[in-house]
Amino acid sequence: MVDKKQLEEIYKQNLENDIINVISEIKGIDLRKAFDIYYSSKLAEQIYGIENMDAKYLAEDLIENEPDLF
């Protein structure tokens, strides 16, 4: 049986994947570049504290607030 901690880790991984995909789509860049941008961002450091947030909202927030990464 999966415990709460494992479920939270799965959720985090899926959320990060969704954010990277949205960044790639919005900015028209390949996934590797979007991956690098995401993991260079402040959002990647904060993601553990974010629950039930929409990946598109988070990706747009990253794009708006950290334009220097692009």
Side-chain angles (χ1 to χ4, degrees), residues 27-68:
K27 298 303 274 184
I29 57 178
D30 65 77
L31 285 171
R32 171 58 92 189
K33 176 75 174 164
F35 179 91
D36 291 341
I37 289 168
Y38 171 74
Y39 282 105
S40 298
S41 74
K42 294 174 188 167
L43 177 60
E45 297 171 13
Q46 299 169 345
I47 203 71
Y48 280 105
I50 298 173
E51 295 182 20
N52 301 319
M53 296 289 288
D54 180 65
K56 184 174 185 208
Y57 168 80
L58 293 169
E60 289 172 346
D61 186 63
L62 184 154
I63 291 167
E64 181 180 321
N65 292 308
E66 298 190 56
D68 54 312

